[in-house]
Amino acid sequence: MKLNNLVFEFDKFASEMANLKEKKHFDYLVTIVGEDFGDEGLGCIYILENTDSGERCSVKLIARSQVCGDGSAANGSGDTDGQTLCYLPTVSHLWRVAELLEREVYDFYGIVFLGHHDMRRLFLRNDFKGHPYLKSWKYDDSYSLDDDVEPDYGLEYYLDKDGCLQSRRNQLFAPDEYVINIGPQHPSTHGVLRLQTVLEGETVKRIYPHLGYIHRGIEKMWESMTYPQTLALTDRLNYLSAMMHRHALVGVIEEGLGVELTDRIKYVRTIMDELQRIDSHLLYLGCTAQDLGALTAFLYCMRDREHVLNVMEETTGGRLIQNYYRIGGLQDDIDPNFVDNTKKLCRYLRPMIQEYLDVFGDNIITHNRLERVGVMNREDCINYAVTGPAGRAAGWACDTRKRHPYDMYDKVEWKEITMTGCDSMDRYMCHIKELYQSLDIIEQLIDNIPAGDFYVKQKPIIKVPEGQWYFSVEGASGEFGVYLDSRGDKSPWRMKMRPMGLSLVGALDPMLRGQKIADLVTTGAAIDFVIPDIDR
């Protein structure tokens, strides 16, 4: 998708964005891209979708700046008084997913959002100096071993009656509230995710996610890399979606370059994506069981996942990390045994799926733990951008392979699985049913892979023409997309990922209010987030 950004006047931005949502039904905020546009200044690009028509649009707004505050208690907290801050109006009241997306922009670019109730850093330490994605930011290799002192309040910025930028504190916790940390640990929170949880007895009142424990600054690193050098970093975001993550990255670069792929490349990429999806879904089913204390089901799924990895490894050479797609095609052609072994795998897996239900999925304990837990309806899933099986379990037909087809997905027969339970049980069952659909897609393609080149030769030094593009794929647990802003150089000016898991974690708070601590673990397992994908 080549971006043709809508540009609104700053003072009319809030009303125009409300108009896009309420009158033109752009109800899905795909992502917010913070960017240092150079001479233009700092600003954001908003990518939106109409969930009825599938139409997408993008909006660009450049931030204003002024000195913040006067230190008067009547006018605010004085935390950032005397600092010159860039600011934009918030859209978090229109799309709730913006609550975390705007904090991410603030963390990396220092742009504050007027009306956002909780302007804290999202990924970096609170004592981090500066905002590292600015073009003017200078690297400092000093590192503090001191404890990171976390504020118990968020800042809200606003313009007073004279149009002056002010801030005030919003307390996160009442004095008598009981707060515990759940995570970071593995299993349960699936790695280095910390959920600051406010409890009343064993009932969850609120959740504040703390992210960034393995943030590696990949988007910043990309700005100093050539396009081929950028590829390996996506594979390490989520080893269960490595194929799809790299697919989105090469896809946006190829779209910018205008590369025409052969049918052989499209067939193989589609098959590999679905093998990777099966790999991920099998581990999901096993880990969901393990999080609930059912070790046998975990072993069953890990056993069969090994067969999937065997088939992929003979072509890609990798098991945990797949490094197979490249700009213009594939790293190498498929192994001579790939077709036969893939067909054997499909025949083996079909009866095994019922076995997972027999040993765990249809257990009465499983139903009691998953049903009516972590409930979120379709409207809220769209509002919080809960994509993937977690969104489809609520009836939202959000599969990128159907909405914005790529490669061979619109050339084969398969069903998009949607359900109506809106709970963790339906999320689990959605993964089960999607395994059958992945097998259907593979079986339709595997005997018909056409002859042709596995790679379309590119220039030794790749330079993408000037422009902005966004390309998304259906990852294992939701939409994964890459935004590219090119200035015609051999390195990107800005590349931004739309991770699958950030919006899922942001939805945990409304999903779990009023439920039990044990339901938190269940819901986290059922929505299927992977931490490196979130932190990047």
Side-chain angles (χ1 to χ4, degrees), residues 441-462:
I441 292 169
I442 293 170
E443 287 174 339
Q444 291 176 68
L445 298 174
I446 194 65
D447 276 329
N448 301 301
I449 300 176
D453 294 330
F454 65 85
Y455 175 63
V456 178
K457 189 173 182 179
Q458 304 298 306
K459 294 180 179 179
I461 298 178
I462 294 174

Side-chain angles (χ1 to χ4, degrees), residues 220-510:
K220 181 69 173 180
M221 293 164 62
W222 272 345
E223 295 175 9
S224 60
M225 294 179 170
T226 64
Y227 285 101
Q229 288 174 334
T230 64
L231 301 186
L233 300 186
T234 52
D235 308 332
R236 286 146 181 83
L237 295 171
N238 180 350
Y239 64 87
L240 301 167
S241 284
M243 290 288 190
M244 293 86 100
H245 279 38
R246 186 180 279 209
H247 199 155
L249 178 55
V250 298
V252 76
I253 297 170
E254 288 163 353
E255 188 172 342
L257 292 170
V259 175
E260 289 292 332
L261 301 176
T262 66
D263 284 346
R264 184 174 185 84
I265 295 169
K266 294 178 181 178
Y267 269 72
V268 174
R269 282 187 179 179
T270 305
I271 293 169
M272 284 294 185
D273 277 11
E274 293 310 307
L275 287 172
Q276 185 86 87
R277 194 179 318 279
I278 292 171
D279 161 33
S280 179
H281 280 16
L282 288 176
L283 191 64
Y284 163 87
L285 297 173
C287 286
T288 300
Q290 184 188 39
D291 284 358
L292 270 61
L295 182 61
T296 302
F298 175 78
L299 297 176
Y300 275 49
C301 294
M302 290 297 287
R303 172 200 66 192
D304 293 341
R305 181 172 172 263
E306 289 297 302
H307 297 304
V308 180
L309 296 179
N310 288 341
V311 172
M312 298 174 75
E313 182 188 22
E314 64 189 3
T315 290
T316 69
R319 293 182 75 82
L320 187 68
I321 305 295
Q322 307 293 342
N323 304 280
Y324 188 49
Y325 301 161
R326 62 196 291 199
I327 302 166
L330 311 170
Q331 194 70 31
D332 204 347
D333 208 349
I334 56 175
D335 186 87
N337 299 318
F338 178 75
V339 172
D340 286 342
N341 287 341
T342 300
K343 291 161 69 175
K344 291 176 184 176
L345 174 70
C346 292
R347 289 195 295 270
Y348 168 78
L349 280 179
R350 280 196 182 275
M352 292 296 105
I353 299 172
Q354 182 59 44
E355 197 172 70
Y356 313 143
L357 291 174
D358 293 341
V359 75
F360 174 76
D362 277 342
N363 188 300
I364 185 62
I365 299 173
T366 303
H367 282 277
N368 288 338
R369 288 293 307 276
L370 292 174
E371 288 176 359
R372 298 177 299 282
V373 168
V375 175
M376 178 170 274
N377 62 33
R378 181 182 183 275
E379 182 180 354
D380 285 339
C381 282
I382 296 172
N383 207 359
Y384 282 89
V386 176
T387 59
R392 292 191 283 279
W396 180 21
C398 57
D399 199 311
T400 310
R401 296 171 293 174
K402 286 286 189 184
R403 295 191 342 264
H404 307 285
Y406 52 97
D407 287 352
M408 302 307 298
Y409 286 111
D410 56 346
K411 306 294 192 302
V412 292
E413 295 292 329
W414 62 282
K415 297 177 182 177
E416 179 176 3
I417 304 299
T418 57
M419 308 185 77
T420 57
C422 308
D423 61 4
S424 293
M425 190 72 231
D426 269 14
R427 291 166 195 146
Y428 178 88
M429 290 305 302
C430 194
H431 283 80
I432 288 283
K433 294 181 179 182
E434 285 190 1
L435 284 173
Y436 290 114
Q437 297 307 310
S438 292
L439 292 172
D440 287 347
I441 292 169
I442 293 170
E443 287 174 339
Q444 291 176 68
L445 298 174
I446 194 65
D447 276 329
N448 301 301
I449 300 176
D453 294 330
F454 65 85
Y455 175 63
V456 178
K457 189 173 182 179
Q458 304 298 306
K459 294 180 179 179
I461 298 178
I462 294 174
K463 293 184 178 182
V464 177
E466 288 191 35
Q468 297 169 325
W469 292 268
Y470 177 76
F471 188 92
S472 60
V473 301
E474 184 64 23
S477 53
E479 176 175 344
F480 180 86
V482 178
Y483 160 87
L484 167 62
D485 185 351
S486 172
R487 301 292 173 93
D489 299 322
K490 63 181 181 181
S491 300
W493 178 263
R494 170 80 164 115
M495 279 211 292
K496 163 80 168 70
M497 286 173 274
R498 190 258 183 222
M500 301 180 293
L502 181 59
S503 54
L504 299 179
V505 169
L508 281 176
D509 176 51

Side-chain angles (χ1 to χ4, degrees), residues 113-180:
F113 291 84
L114 305 179
H116 191 293
H117 65 280
D118 186 11
M119 275 279 98
R120 289 180 295 154
R121 289 189 182 273
L122 184 62
F123 293 105
L124 304 179
R125 286 173 59 108
N126 293 283
D127 59 1
F128 189 92
K129 299 295 189 294
H131 302 278
Y133 285 15
L134 296 173
K135 297 294 183 181
S136 60
W137 186 76
K138 301 298 182 184
Y139 171 69
D140 180 0
D141 63 357
S142 63
Y143 184 77
S144 172
L145 296 178
D146 296 335
D147 288 342
D148 185 16
V149 179
E150 295 177 346
D152 60 355
Y153 60 87
L155 287 180
E156 180 178 347
Y157 290 87
Y158 63 97
L159 298 179
D160 65 17
K161 58 183 176 56
D162 298 319
C164 297
L165 183 64
Q166 306 286 356
S167 67
R168 57 173 162 253
R169 293 182 179 183
N170 291 325
Q171 291 298 133
L172 301 178
F173 314 108
D176 59 343
E177 286 186 322
Y178 186 71
V179 185
I180 66 169

